[in-house]
């Protein structure tokens, strides 16, 4: 099997917008990029359970409690779908967990911010899940089959999450003065980090071109960020909240909203470990994993005992 | 699939009037499902105050136990277990919501599920102690509690199928499937921990010892329960002791565990959880559960 | 290419995790089981439970099969197709995914 021919077939598959499946030949760099991207996406879902999980026990109505608990559970499920997709590329989930806990693989920067009020639950649904949807819907057409299929499943559920978050905010802005203030304060904290979810500006994103050539990425960071802003501004108006950017305004020539770029220095600091919650998020994940070791070990031991009994029987 | 268009639609739909919840959102009983039953009249010959109290008993058991389970979110020993425990917590929360709503309706003082969950004080809660004791981050404790609680609750719900109260009957009808699943989940884990490693056996045995003082209370019947059992609405919990014992003995034996022989936690002046006399733990549970709602009196969420 | 290369050069060490199981689901209106993904579980009983929770959201009337990934022997999509990796079976230990029919829940 000539590698040139294999590579040509791979390129042709990508060019025809068809899927690469687990048993197909793929360039090593494609595989590595995908493993990293899918794993970090999975890690994001799992770590993302923490900021929202922070409010489950204090949810102020039973209906909200059920909604939030179901949402966080969905996120565990999404992480599992994505780890499953990553494993088709030849890695083991346990390895990926170690890479996360040791800081060698990352997760979405947004989850390094704290949830300080219940309004954050709504704002995360509206802005953070909204940004995630912008990123994820194009991935439903990703060239790698298992990833694309996981994304289809995830996107369906995520759109419900976003609606639930927005609905909570609607209830709050139509509630007490304190609730209204809480929502605005939350938006002030989450707006810029939400913009950062799309990654650095295109000029500072060297991998974008290769990822797009491979059908792993369908739009650039800046394209998606612009799309998110354009969609979100009318929603903010409907809520009656102010997005904390004084330069945010419609530009009729461009046909888009002009907006201030986020503070990229802050972004770099946060993704390199200096965000408000980085240490806390990893410590929590590490603790759960380590404290659960005796349980996982027991289950394995039991399975081995059962297997020996069956052989003996 | 025109995914870009879907993204636009997903977004645009946000500014339209939002519809009702997707029924997938809570795996347990949706309150909306049984709305009709909740407002149906109190069965003949039944004291509304008794019925309200009984619904609070069953509802508070589920509410507080569900709350303890949510402490495992982001703390579970494996990601699959996160999903499983959240399922169980959601089921119980769903049962609690219906039962609390029914209690509020028949009581006739305008209290809904949230007024009951967030504004009552400890002496007004009617759950048994087993629901409120902490796990101390020990998965063995969580499983031990879940095993006993769900085995007992399943036995009650199985007998409540034919309750003359339509809501209790409806909760029982749906609940038996859910709680059978919970019991099975707990039993599977009891088996694996009891008959796993030497360490897991030790820890699981210790966990049983820690929850066992709260088992006796499960079979203690109150006058309210006896009256309602006679009226065909409730079941006297004393009736389920033999069955629950048999199931627990079977599970523990298979798991190579020993039934603890610790003395039961004593009543306080003859009063227990069903009468509103609780352990020190409930105050801390409610302090957390109710804190935000109480910070914003009159707010709707 | 081997597992070791993929995992950064570490030799095969005892894995801490549970084995991988592939999950096949037949929807209520379906005619056959379809591969939907994978779960980790210590044994078949737990694999079935985990698969139910994750892939069917405990819908009733749905049939689930779980198979230990290591028990699956897979062919390439087309035996005549030369475009598969020569040492495929070691690394690509997962069967090819098939298209998912519409009535399998939540897919």
């Amino acid at each position: 099997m000539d590698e040139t021919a294999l590579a040509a077939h791979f390129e042709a598959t990508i060019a025809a917008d068809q899927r690469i499946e687990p048993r197909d030949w793929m360039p090593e760099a494609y595989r590595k990029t995908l493993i990293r991207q899918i794993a970090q996406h999975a890690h994001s879902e799992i770590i993302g359970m923490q900021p929202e999980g922070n409010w489950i026990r204090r949810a102020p109505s039973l209906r909200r409690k059920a909604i939030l608990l179901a949402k966080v559970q969905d996120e565990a499920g999404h992480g599992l779908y994505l780890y499953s997709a990553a494993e088709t590329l030849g890695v083991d989930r346990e390895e990926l967990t170690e890479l996360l806990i040791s800081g060698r693989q990352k997760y979405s920067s947004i989850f390094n911010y704290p949830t300080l009020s219940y309004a954050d639950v709504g704002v995360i649904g509206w802005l953070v899940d909204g940004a995630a949807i912008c990123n994820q819907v194009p991935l439903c057409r990703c060239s790698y089959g298992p990833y694309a299929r996981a994304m289809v499943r995830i996107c369906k559920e995520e759109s419900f999450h976003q609606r639930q978050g927005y609905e909570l905010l609607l209830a709050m802005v139509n509630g007490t003065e304190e609730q209204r203030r809480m929502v605005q304060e939350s938006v002030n904290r989450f707006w810029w980090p939400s913009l950062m979810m799309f990654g650095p500006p295109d000029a500072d994103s060297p991998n974008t071109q290769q990822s797009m050539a491979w059908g792993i990425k369908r739009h650039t960071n800046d394209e998606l960020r612009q799309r998110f802003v354009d969609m979100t501004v009318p929603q903010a108006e409907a809520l009656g909240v102010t997005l904390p950017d004084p330069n945010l305004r419609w530009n009729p020539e461009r046909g888009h909203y002009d907006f201030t770029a986020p503070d990229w220095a802050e972004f770099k600091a946060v993704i390199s470990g200096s965000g408000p919650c980085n240490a806390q998020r990893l410590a929590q994940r590490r603790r759960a994993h380590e404290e659960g070791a005796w349980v996982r070990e027991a289950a394995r031991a039991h399975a081995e005992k059962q297997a020996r009994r069956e052989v003996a029987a | 699939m025109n995914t870009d268009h879907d993204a636009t639609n997903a977004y645009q739909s946000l500014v339209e009037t939002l519809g009702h919840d997707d029924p997938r959102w809570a795996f347990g009983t949706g309150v909306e499902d049984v709305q009709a039953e909740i407002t149906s009249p109190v069965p003949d010959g039944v004291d509304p105050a008794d019925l309200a109290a009984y619904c609070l008993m069953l509802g508070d058991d589920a509410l507080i136990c569900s709350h303890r389970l949510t402490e495992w979110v982001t703390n579970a020993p494996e990601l699959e277990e996160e999903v499983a425990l959240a399922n169980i917590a959601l089921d119980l929360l769903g049962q609690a919501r219906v039962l609390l709503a029914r209690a509020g309706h028949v009581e006739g003082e305008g209290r809904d599920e949230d007024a009951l969950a967030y504004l009552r004080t400890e002496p007004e809660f009617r759950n048994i102690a087993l629901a409120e004791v902490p796990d101390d981050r020990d998965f063995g404790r969580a499983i031990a509690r879940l095993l006993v609680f769900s085995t007992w609750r399943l036995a009650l719900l199985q007998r409540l199928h034919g309750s003359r109260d339509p809501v209790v009957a409806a909760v029982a009808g749906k609940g038996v499937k859910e709680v059978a699943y919970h019991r099975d989940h707990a039993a599977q884990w009891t088996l694996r921990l009891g008959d796993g490693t030497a360490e897991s056996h030790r820890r699981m045995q210790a966990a049983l010892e820690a929850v066992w003082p709260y088992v006796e209370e499960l079979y203690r019947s109150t006058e309210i329960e006896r009256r309602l059992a006679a009226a065909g609405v409730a079941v006297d919990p004393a009736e389920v002791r033999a069955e629950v014992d048999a199931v627990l003995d079977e599970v523990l034996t298979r798991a190579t565990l020993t039934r603890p022989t610790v003395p039961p936690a004593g009543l306080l002046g003859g009063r227990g959880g069903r009468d509103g006399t609780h352990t020190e733990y409930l105050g801390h549970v409610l302090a957390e559960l109710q804190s935000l709602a109480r910070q914003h009196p009159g707010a709707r969420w | 290419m081997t597992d070791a290369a993929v995992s950064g050069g570490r030799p095969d060490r005892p894995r801490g995790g549970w084995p991988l199981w592939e999950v096949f689901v037949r929807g209520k209106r379906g005619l056959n089981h379809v591969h939907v993904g994978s779960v980790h579980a210590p044994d078949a009983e737990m694999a079935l439970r985990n698969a139910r929770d994750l892939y069917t959201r405990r819908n009733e009337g749905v049939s689930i099969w779980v198979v230990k990934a290591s028990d699956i022997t897979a062919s390439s999509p087309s035996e005549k197709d030369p475009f598969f990796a020569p040492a495929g079976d070691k690394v690509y230990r997962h069967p090819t995914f098939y298209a998912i029919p519409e009535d399998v829940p939540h897919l």
Side-chain angles (χ1 to χ4, degrees):
Chain A
M1 257 61 59
D2 177 44
E3 191 151 302
T4 317
L6 289 167
H9 184 79
F10 170 81
E11 300 291 343
T13 306
I14 302 271
D17 211 19
Q18 285 170 350
R19 298 281 164 268
I20 305 294
E21 297 293 349
R23 293 185 64 76
D24 295 339
W25 183 94
M26 59 186 79
E28 188 51 24
Y30 176 85
R31 178 197 312 283
K32 284 210 158 89
T33 298
L34 267 177
I35 287 174
R36 188 169 193 84
Q37 180 167 330
I38 299 173
Q40 294 191 155
H41 195 162
H43 297 327
S44 298
E45 294 283 351
I46 300 305
I47 296 294
M49 293 170 67
Q50 290 183 38
E52 294 185 276
N54 182 33
W55 284 95
I56 290 172
R57 298 191 308 277
R58 290 173 291 172
S61 80
L62 296 186
R63 178 172 166 266
R64 290 293 169 200
K65 192 169 187 166
I67 289 171
L68 185 54
L69 180 53
K71 182 187 190 206
V72 172
Q73 181 197 40
D74 275 357
E75 282 156 17
H78 295 173
L80 285 167
Y81 295 147
L82 289 164
Y83 284 128
S84 175
E87 286 183 294
T88 66
L89 290 161
V91 288
D92 183 78
R93 190 170 94 195
E94 186 87 353
E95 279 178 63
L96 298 177
T97 302
E98 282 176 28
L99 288 168
L100 167 68
I101 290 174
S102 63
R104 279 174 290 159
Q105 276 183 346
K106 305 210 173 295
Y107 51 90
S108 185
S109 56
I110 190 74
F111 300 124
N112 290 314
Y113 292 85
T115 50
L116 300 176
S117 76
Y118 201 71
D120 290 0
V121 171
V123 167
I124 285 178
W126 172 40
L127 295 182
V128 175
D129 288 339
I133 289 170
C134 259
N135 263 327
Q136 286 168 185
V137 167
L139 287 173
C140 296
R141 292 181 296 128
C142 166
S143 56
Y144 189 59
Y147 191 23
R149 286 187 289 274
M151 293 315 308
V152 169
R153 192 182 290 133
I154 289 170
C155 281
K156 279 186 191 164
E157 293 178 358
E158 209 102 300
S159 66
F160 286 107
H161 294 175
Q162 191 188 24
R163 287 223 302 275
Q164 296 289 2
Y166 194 78
E167 190 220 353
L168 171 61
L169 296 179
L170 272 176
M172 290 181 71
V173 296
N174 289 310
T176 67
E177 184 53 42
E178 276 187 27
Q179 285 177 301
R180 274 191 291 279
R181 271 201 302 267
M182 201 189 285
V183 172
Q184 182 62 63
E185 192 272 333
S186 172
V187 170
N188 293 346
R189 275 183 291 109
F190 273 93
W191 174 247
W192 302 108
S194 298
L195 291 183
M196 294 178 199
M197 285 177 70
F198 298 94
D202 293 349
D204 294 341
S205 192
N207 298 325
T208 292
Q209 211 178 4
Q210 179 64 83
S211 289
M212 288 181 72
W214 278 333
I216 294 173
K217 201 167 166 139
R218 295 293 186 177
H219 301 279
T220 71
N221 296 352
D222 288 339
E223 279 170 6
L224 291 172
R225 193 174 359 255
Q226 180 69 69
R227 179 182 298 193
F228 171 72
V229 173
D230 291 344
M231 288 178 166
T232 304
V233 171
Q235 293 167 345
E237 282 164 12
L239 272 181
V241 299
T242 308
L243 297 173
D245 179 357
N247 297 323
L248 188 58
R249 69 177 59 85
W250 179 255
N251 182 324
E253 284 142 22
R254 289 202 310 127
H256 293 288
Y257 283 93
D258 288 340
F259 61 96
T260 310
D263 179 354
W264 293 118
E266 177 182 327
F267 174 71
K268 282 183 186 140
V270 172
I271 60 168
S272 64
S274 310
C277 297
N278 300 54
Q280 175 192 343
R281 299 290 181 235
L282 283 187
Q284 171 71 11
R285 184 73 191 98
R286 181 184 302 117
R287 185 170 70 163
H289 192 66
E290 286 172 1
E291 288 186 359
W294 72 274
V295 175
R296 299 191 300 272
E297 178 66 36
R300 258 202 322 279
H302 179 82
E304 280 161 26
K305 282 190 200 180
Q306 287 298 93
R308 283 198 295 271
R309 284 167 192 153
E310 270 159 37
V311 168
Chain B
M1 171 173 133
N2 188 341
T3 56
D4 287 350
H5 182 63
D6 282 349
T8 312
N9 279 344
Y11 247 147
Q12 283 172 349
S13 72
L14 289 188
V15 292
E16 293 156 14
T17 313
L18 290 161
H20 53 81
D21 306 8
D22 188 271
R24 286 182 304 136
W25 269 103
F27 295 155
T29 310
V31 179
E32 298 75 16
D33 290 347
V34 292
Q35 199 56 47
E37 281 104 338
I38 286 171
T39 53
S40 60
V42 175
D44 285 343
V46 173
D47 178 1
D50 277 356
L51 180 57
Y54 188 62
C55 289
L56 288 181
M57 290 177 190
L58 294 178
D60 288 343
D61 286 347
L63 179 70
I64 302 300
C65 191
S66 172
H67 187 88
R68 282 302 193 198
L69 282 167
T70 65
E71 291 170 357
W72 286 96
V73 174
T74 73
N75 286 314
E78 188 51 278
L79 296 178
E80 282 83 2
E81 198 57 24
E82 291 276 353
V83 176
L85 293 177
N87 262 350
I88 297 172
L90 278 165
D91 283 349
L92 290 174
L93 179 55
Q95 293 175 20
R97 292 184 64 197
V98 175
L99 289 161
L100 260 52
R102 179 62 170 163
H105 175 76
V106 305
E107 169 194 72
E109 286 168 26
R111 292 202 283 188
D112 66 3
E113 56 172 356
D114 289 330
L116 290 167
Y118 293 94
L119 299 179
R120 278 182 297 156
T121 58
E122 289 90 299
E124 298 169 271
F125 275 76
R126 292 187 176 269
N127 56 284
I128 40 84
L130 182 67
E132 73 198 41
V133 296
D135 291 327
D136 288 341
R137 296 186 65 99
D138 182 334
F139 186 70
R141 293 272 297 262
I143 292 302
R145 181 235 302 281
L146 187 63
L147 177 69
V148 178
F149 181 81
S150 50
T151 303
W152 170 73
R153 191 174 179 87
L154 179 60
L156 292 177
L157 293 180
Q158 281 167 338
R159 288 161 177 74
L160 287 171
H161 249 297
S163 172
R164 284 178 56 225
D165 182 70
V167 175
V168 173
V171 170
K174 185 158 183 177
V176 289
K177 284 181 232 159
E178 294 172 347
V179 181
Y181 188 86
H182 307 169
R183 185 185 72 173
D184 188 51
H185 189 80
Q188 299 293 341
W189 271 116
T190 304
L191 194 56
R192 282 156 183 74
L193 297 180
D195 191 20
T197 61
E199 185 192 357
S200 72
H201 179 91
R202 180 184 59 77
R203 292 178 75 150
M204 192 62 212
Q205 186 65 50
L208 286 169
E209 309 279 329
V211 306
W212 217 260
Y214 305 104
V215 171
E216 185 59 29
E217 191 190 10
L218 303 179
Y219 310 121
R220 175 183 168 259
S221 48
T222 60
E223 283 189 22
I224 292 174
E225 287 164 296
R226 283 192 290 269
R227 279 200 294 273
L228 289 176
V233 168
V235 60
D236 187 332
E239 279 178 30
V240 305
R241 180 196 292 266
E243 177 182 321
V244 174
D245 270 352
V247 172
L248 291 178
D249 280 342
E250 188 185 328
V251 174
L252 295 186
T253 303
R254 271 191 67 200
T256 75
L257 294 161
T258 313
R259 187 189 175 88
T261 51
V262 297
L267 298 173
L268 183 62
R271 297 167 58 86
R274 290 288 189 239
D275 313 298
T277 300
H278 295 279
T279 70
E280 291 174 354
Y281 302 119
L282 185 64
H284 297 280
V285 170
L286 296 183
E288 183 174 47
L289 193 159
Q290 299 182 341
S291 57
L292 178 62
R294 285 183 182 273
Q295 281 176 348
H296 299 269
R300 300 213 70 84
W301 301 86
Chain C
M1 206 204 5
T2 63
D3 277 324
V6 168
S7 53
R10 276 173 287 148
D12 263 346
R13 50 181 182 76
R15 298 278 192 207
W18 293 334
L20 188 69
W21 303 74
E22 300 296 342
V23 180
F24 301 81
V25 173
R26 184 186 63 211
K28 278 183 217 182
R29 294 190 302 281
L31 298 174
N32 49 272
H33 287 75
V34 170
H35 183 255
V36 296
S38 60
V39 290
H40 284 270
D43 53 66
E45 178 70 45
M46 297 298 271
L48 212 53
R49 299 182 65 91
N50 293 342
R52 257 183 90 195
D53 283 347
L54 190 60
Y55 289 103
T56 74
R57 302 304 183 113
R58 287 166 54 200
N59 265 345
E60 290 174 13
V62 171
S63 170
I64 308 170
W65 291 348
V66 292
V67 185
K68 225 183 222 177
S70 56
D71 285 340
I72 294 178
T73 306
S75 66
S76 71
S78 157
E79 288 301 337
K80 295 194 183 110
D81 189 342
F83 297 113
F84 61 90
D89 281 308
K90 249 207 156 71
V91 179
Y92 306 92
R93 54 183 184 273
H94 304 262
T96 308
F97 286 60
Y98 296 96
I100 296 166
E102 273 161 350
D103 72 340
V104 183
H106 302 292
L107 293 176

